Amino acid sequence: MTGKNLQVFKKSALCVALSSALIMPTYSYAEKAADTLAVKGIERIQVTASRRASTVQEAPLNITAIDGDVMKDQNITQLSDVARWVPGLSVADQGGREGSPIIVRGLNTNSSGPGSNAGTVATYIGEIPLVVDMKLIDVERVEVLIGPQGTLYGAGTLGGAIRYLPNKPILDETSGSLYGDIFTLSQSDDMGGEAGFVFNTPLIEDELAVRFAVNYLDEPGYIDYNYVVRESGVSLPDPDWSDTEAVNTNLKQIKDANYEKTTTAKVMMRWQPNDTFDTTFSYFYQKQDIGGRSIVHANSLSDTNPLSTVMGAYESGYRFQEPRTKEDTLVSLEMAVDLGFAELTSATGYSEFEALGQRDQTDLLIRLDYSYEEFPGFSAFTREVDEAENFTQEIRLVSTGESALTWIVGAYYNKFKNIADSREFTPGFDQYAVDNRGTSQLRPDSLEYVSVANTDVTESALFGEITYSVTDKLTLMAGARFYDYEVNSSSAIDFPLYNTLFNGYGPDEVNLNFDDTSAADDGSLFKVNASYQFSDDVMAYATISEGFRIGGSNGIGLCDESTGEQQSVCAQPYEVLYEPDTTTNYELGFKSTWFSNQLHFNAAVFMVEWDNAQIAGVTKVGQQSITSNAGAAKSSGVEISSRAMISDSIIAYATYAYTNAELTSDAPYLFRVLSESELDAGVEQSYYDGKGGDRLPGTPEQQFSLGATYSIEVFDDTSLDINYGLTYQSDIYSKVGSRADGDILPGYALSNMSARFSQEQWSVTLYVDNMFDKYAYSSVRRDKGDIGLAKFSTMNANDASIQRNYGHYLIAPRKIGVRFEYLFDM
């Protein structure tokens, strides 16, 4: 195959991989045997999402597969890049600090992501559920399954599942690669870079091999924290904005605060002593240093706020920098044994992470009406430690016979432990209280609030699928999963500052009285699928599948009759627990190949019913974050994709999706309920029930993409590939039905372009992402109702117009870079 035809071959594979996101089971690979078409045909990528090896064309699944070569060719470096080309998949990019929410087919109820406890899409590294947020390096392929996947993949797959398959060690080859990337962002003062290497070598030829991969990312920030207090409790967080000297005396600037520096490493060892036994041991390590949130407050604050008149488009209004460091490890062991009649697979994984973060908490405490606003120098921050451990074991048996009847049976066990420690500090307020409230005891550590929660989740399941080929054309499949889980939570909350000032605590005393709560449930999930092959080039399928997400405890004790509204956190009876939510997906799909594999056209229609949708909320007393349920919702729509090989050198592809996601019943108390003291103080009643027909937030109704690739040979054996892509999404609601001061985020289009020069051992890629430097919002934090919500006993410079809880996450500005890679073998 010539260099030119090889590049056409790869680009064709890419286009189908992207267009296959239409949730058709077989979009990516045509089955033409003629040699003349093999040059132009579509590569067959092996997938294992069905728990048995097959190609995307053969697997009766709603699956997209994109391999590592295609990802390199198209500058696809993260899931949000993939999502722009996958109809029905949305990833709201929130920067490295948050972890970006993944939303499928509009299944979302919250402004910033689908649920406070877990999302609606499960992610895996190989066979192991991915609790840690790892950068995926040295990836063989990514498999995206759209639609509930509860029977084979279990909890958390209400919308789908995403699998990252790393390259395994090669038993008979010593090889590797060196790569690097240098880039700039239009709103950053610094250069960015990425570098890494991969090395593979056998330790025992054809039996034992090891593979190493290391990557370092230095991504500069592009958002400035220009209003950070110089000394908390002393500096005025809201000085006279018309007085430049007062502003500079009290506040400092932190440029490009939302930077990311991440080191990722992977070691894999594979042992295959014979043809019947294959085992791989893997170790992943990652350390992240994130400078701050990718949030701006321009156009977020009230028009009456003086800060809004001076704030720039790429500025945050936070009073404190919000860094976060995070360290992750993942260890796994995968073993496969060929028993003759079936393959036995065991997948064992253990992961853990520890994170330390800081965030501005000033606005929340002001909003709670604790009279902190009377202190002109009041500002507050939270430091939080989050630790988690996760152990997973799955064993399954997959039939390997050639009969019309095939089957899968398996067992699953998961144990998850989490410890969260959150501490709020209000420097200087103890002295203010002594001077103005008649108290005499200071609190030197300024510790205002402590919250500690321990959560243990145990889940087990039995699952299976059976498939029967009725004829050469008609295949039927049925699957089930029977699950059981238990959640145990222990939590304690204390208010050391308040109790030191008014209730006789010592100057460093903390008392934590733990409350224990628990929840448990069991149930079953089912899936049926039928596929019919009308001809070699035309196939249709129908699927009904179910997914679920576990319920649990919010870990907050019940309020009692003596509970006051001030300096208290407790739960109403309906706030203690939350229920599991479930989805049922109905889908019809069609895929076709025309003109001797020169044109692909695919279409799918679907409807998803969502019951007891979980939503993030807060307690009535103390505004503590909790999870609750929001009634019933549904999502329906159509997804279309097409691609065409216009010539040997030009390939074009396009996708379109329409998603109508809405509540189907009223959801009482969906939004914040005001406390009695707020109502007595004259705060306008502004909570809303969700109403049937309200549009769900976080995802566009319409998505569109259009791309083209032009490949030629230049300079003898050098290939040049020029790629252009245009992606568009319509507006997004930040709240259900855009109620309760919800925001409507405008739609936007992005253009990307790259040129890649390559030979057999090297490649150089020049690229531009967000070519026209589009300024657009990806999602929001909190909600617009935070502005002016609080009422105070004494009004001063910290009045209600200075609320900064609410802000916008931005998409990254224009990025221009050059990437290189060198391959070697020995």
Side-chain angles (χ1 to χ4, degrees):
M1 185 177 294
T2 66
K4 177 180 178 180
N5 285 330
L6 176 61
Q7 292 303 316
V8 172
F9 175 81
K10 283 188 174 181
K11 300 306 174 186
S12 182
L14 162 73
C15 299
V16 173
L18 295 176
S19 65
S20 72
L22 201 56
I23 322 312
M24 305 298 296
T26 59
Y27 296 174
S28 296
Y29 314 104
E31 298 201 26
K32 299 296 183 181
D35 289 341
T36 56
L37 291 177
V39 172
K40 302 178 182 179
I42 310 306
E43 180 185 10
R44 299 188 180 197
I45 301 177
Q46 292 287 317
V47 295
T48 55
S50 64
R51 302 305 195 190
R52 61 174 75 243
S54 64
T55 65
V56 175
Q57 179 71 23
E58 296 165 341
L61 297 172
N62 307 329
I63 184 172
T64 300
I66 303 177
D67 70 11
D69 288 339
V70 167
M71 295 174 69
K72 293 176 185 177
D73 291 344
Q74 294 299 310
N75 195 29
I76 296 175
T77 59
Q78 55 188 354
L79 185 59
S80 58
D81 297 331
V82 176
R84 294 190 179 105
W85 299 93
V86 178
L89 178 64
S90 300
V91 176
D93 190 357
Q94 296 184 352
R97 190 187 191 281
E98 309 296 332
S100 300
I102 306 168
I103 304 170
V104 172
R105 291 179 170 173
L107 300 179
N108 181 46
T109 53
N110 303 312
S111 60
S112 297
S116 62
N117 63 313
T120 57
V121 179
T123 54
Y124 285 73
I125 291 184
E127 304 290 346
I128 308 301
L130 182 62
V131 176
V132 299
D133 183 19
M134 303 290 287
K135 300 284 185 184
L136 277 303
I137 59 175
D138 191 28
V139 174
E140 179 185 353
R141 66 182 182 276
V142 178
E143 299 177 1
V144 181
L145 296 88
I146 300 294
Q149 305 293 327
T151 54
L152 288 183
Y153 289 93
T157 58
L158 287 86
I162 298 173
R163 303 179 69 222
Y164 302 94
L165 285 302
N167 283 308
K168 290 187 176 183
I170 302 172
L171 298 173
D172 60 353
E173 177 182 297
T174 297
S175 61
S177 65
L178 298 171
Y179 60 88
D181 189 1
I182 300 174
F183 58 87
T184 63
L185 297 173
S186 65
Q187 299 296 324
S188 180
D189 296 332
D190 298 324
M191 294 282 292
E194 186 172 12
F197 72 88
V198 178
F199 180 69
N200 181 101
T201 187
L203 302 178
I204 302 176
E205 191 74 20
D206 296 326
E207 182 175 334
L208 180 67
V210 64
R211 189 178 185 95
F212 302 91
V214 176
N215 185 83
Y216 178 72
L217 171 66
D218 183 358
E219 187 157 25
Y222 51 88
I223 292 176
D224 299 330
Y225 281 40
N226 285 339
Y227 308 94
V228 174
V229 294
R230 292 187 179 273
E231 184 178 356
S232 179
V234 176
S235 303
L236 296 177
D238 298 295
D240 181 353
W241 298 103
S242 64
D243 186 341
T244 302
E245 183 178 353
V247 172
N248 293 334
T249 299
N250 289 280
L251 306 179
K252 62 182 178 181
Q253 297 181 333
I254 300 177
K255 296 293 186 182
D256 302 333
N258 63 322
Y259 64 82
E260 176 179 356
K261 300 179 187 294
T262 300
T263 300
T264 307
K266 180 191 76 169
V267 180
M268 302 182 74
M269 182 174 291
R270 184 181 183 186
W271 182 40
Q272 189 176 10
N274 52 55
D275 293 337
T276 62
F277 182 79
D278 191 355
T279 183
T280 302
F281 171 83
S282 304
Y283 173 79
F284 291 84
Y285 171 82
Q286 180 170 280
K287 186 173 183 179
Q288 290 179 285
D289 179 12
I290 310 296
R293 299 180 195 271
S294 299
I295 288 179
V296 296
H297 292 91
N299 301 318
S300 295
L301 301 180
S302 168
D303 292 337
T304 62
N305 182 358
L307 181 57
S308 65
T309 63
V310 299
M311 183 170 290
Y314 286 89
E315 288 186 335
S316 167
Y318 291 128
R319 303 160 187 84
F320 298 90
Q321 193 171 0
E322 298 195 313
R324 190 169 191 249
T325 59
K326 189 165 177 278
E327 194 167 8
D328 299 286
T329 58
L330 170 64
V331 180
S332 66
L333 180 65
E334 299 177 16
M335 296 184 291
V337 182
D338 187 354
L339 302 178
F341 70 97
E343 182 178 75
L344 176 65
T345 299
S346 171
T348 307
Y350 173 80
S351 63
E352 60 183 20
F353 76 82
E354 180 176 354
L356 173 64
Q358 175 176 288
R359 52 190 170 89
D360 187 353
Q361 198 73 331
T362 310
D363 286 309
L364 176 62
L365 295 183
I366 290 177
R367 190 179 71 171
L368 289 175
D369 194 11
Y370 290 165
S371 299
Y372 287 126
E373 72 282 349
E374 296 178 5
F375 173 33
F378 177 74
S379 58
F381 61 92
T382 292
R383 286 181 180 152
E384 48 198 1
V385 176
D386 197 12
E387 299 177 1
E389 298 178 2
N390 191 67
F391 173 79
T392 300
Q393 176 65 58
E394 180 170 299
I395 297 176
R396 64 178 178 272
L397 202 60
V398 181
S399 66
T400 55
E402 297 295 331
S403 68
L405 185 68
T406 59
W407 47 267
I408 300 173
V409 294
Y412 173 84
Y413 175 81
N414 178 254
K415 179 72 172 180
F416 174 75
K417 295 182 178 181
N418 177 246
I419 300 174
D421 186 308
S422 179
R423 298 171 185 254
E424 293 175 0
F425 298 87
T426 55
F429 190 82
D430 59 337
Q431 185 65 60
Y432 172 82
V434 168
D435 295 339
N436 295 274
R437 299 285 183 85
T439 64
S440 59
Q441 175 69 65
L442 292 175
R443 182 84 196 191
D445 61 8
S446 302
L447 181 58
E448 186 268 347
Y449 168 80
V450 179
S451 173
V452 179
N454 304 308
T455 303
D456 291 350
V457 181
T458 303
E459 181 191 358
S460 57
L462 298 174
F463 62 89
E465 288 186 352
I466 186 169
T467 303
Y468 181 64
S469 298
V470 181
T471 68
D472 291 341
K473 296 181 178 295
L474 176 64
T475 301
L476 304 177
M477 186 277 290
R481 189 181 190 95
F482 303 93
Y483 64 87
D484 178 277
Y485 71 83
E486 181 178 2
V487 180
N488 294 296
S489 178
S490 178
S491 65
I493 293 169
D494 193 22
F495 295 89
L497 175 66
Y498 180 84
N499 289 320
T500 296
L501 293 174
F502 301 106
N503 291 337
Y505 270 28
D508 58 358
E509 184 177 353
V510 175
N511 292 311
L512 295 174
N513 298 314
F514 285 85
D515 290 318
D516 297 327
T517 55
S518 62
D521 196 14
D522 57 61
S524 58
L525 300 167
F526 298 96
K527 177 181 180 180
V528 293
N529 172 273
S531 60
Y532 191 83
Q533 198 77 37
F534 292 96
S535 69
D536 290 342
D537 296 322
V538 178
M539 186 270 285
Y541 73 91
T543 298
I544 302 175
S545 60
E546 295 181 321
F548 88 108
R549 179 169 47 180
I550 65 174
S553 167
N554 284 310
I556 302 175
L558 269 172
C559 298
D560 56 37
E561 294 182 359
S562 64
T563 299
E565 293 292 340
Q566 294 245 20
Q567 297 298 85
S568 298
V569 172
C570 60
Q572 303 298 316
Y574 57 86
E575 296 173 338
V576 175
L577 304 175
Y578 57 93
E579 299 178 2
D581 53 350
T582 60
T583 52
T584 304
N585 179 66
Y586 306 89
E587 183 173 338
L588 295 174
F590 167 85
K591 68 98 179 179
S592 61
T593 302
W594 306 93
F595 307 120
S596 299
N597 198 35
Q598 303 301 299
L599 173 67
H600 284 204
F601 180 82
N602 313 296
V605 294
F606 66 89
M607 182 182 71
V608 184
E609 296 177 342
W610 191 9
D611 293 323
N612 287 325
Q614 292 177 11
I615 182 171
V618 293
T619 57
K620 179 179 178 181
V621 180
Q623 299 286 285
Q624 184 80 352
S625 296
I626 60 171
T627 299
S628 56
N629 297 95
K634 74 173 182 179
S635 175
S636 58
V638 60
E639 297 155 341
I640 299 172
S641 70
S642 181
R643 71 177 185 92
M645 296 183 67
I646 298 174
S647 70
D648 288 349
S649 299
I650 301 176
I651 299 171
Y653 42 94
T655 66
Y656 172 78
Y658 172 77
T659 304
N660 179 29
E662 61 184 21
L663 291 178
T664 54
S665 64
D666 292 350
Y669 309 111
L670 183 60
F671 305 118
R672 179 176 181 268
V673 181
L674 300 183
S675 67
E676 292 181 7
S677 64
E678 289 171 315
L679 293 174
D680 292 341
V683 179
E684 182 181 354
Q685 181 64 286
S686 61
Y687 74 86
Y688 296 87
D689 293 339
K691 299 294 184 182
D694 282 352
R695 177 179 159 187
L696 299 184
T699 192
E701 286 189 325
Q702 300 190 66
Q703 294 172 284
F704 170 76
S705 67
L706 177 66
T709 297
Y710 177 62
S711 302
I712 59 172
E713 283 190 4
V714 295
F715 311 127
D716 297 327
D717 294 331
T718 302
S719 297
L720 170 62
D721 306 301
I722 300 174
N723 306 286
Y724 173 75
L726 171 67
T727 59
Y728 166 79
Q729 67 176 45
S730 61
D731 63 31
I732 291 176
Y733 282 17
S734 71
K735 272 195 167 183
V736 174
S738 196
R739 294 175 178 270
D741 295 311
D743 203 355
I744 299 178
L745 306 182
Y748 60 88
L750 298 177
S751 291
N752 299 327
M753 195 167 187
S754 67
R756 181 175 184 265
F757 297 88
S758 62
Q759 289 188 3
E760 184 176 350
Q761 289 189 296
W762 62 266
S763 67
V764 176
T765 303
L766 307 175
Y767 64 90
V768 182
D769 295 338
N770 190 2
M771 185 161 56
F772 300 108
D773 205 15
K774 179 67 177 179
Y775 183 89
Y777 303 138
S778 62
S779 63
V780 302
R781 181 174 185 239
R782 304 286 173 83
D783 61 73
K784 193 162 55 176
D786 285 343
I787 302 174
L789 186 62
K791 292 290 184 180
F792 314 124
S793 56
T794 300
M795 305 300 291
N796 57 19
N798 271 342
D799 66 20
S801 67
I802 315 245
Q803 293 284 298
R804 303 177 207 173
N805 259 350
Y806 177 67
H808 294 105
Y809 289 95
L810 285 186
I811 65 169
R814 180 171 55 226
K815 180 179 181 180
I816 301 176
V818 55
R819 177 181 295 109
F820 67 89
E821 182 177 25
Y822 176 74
L823 307 176
F824 63 88
D825 55 61
M826 301 178 184

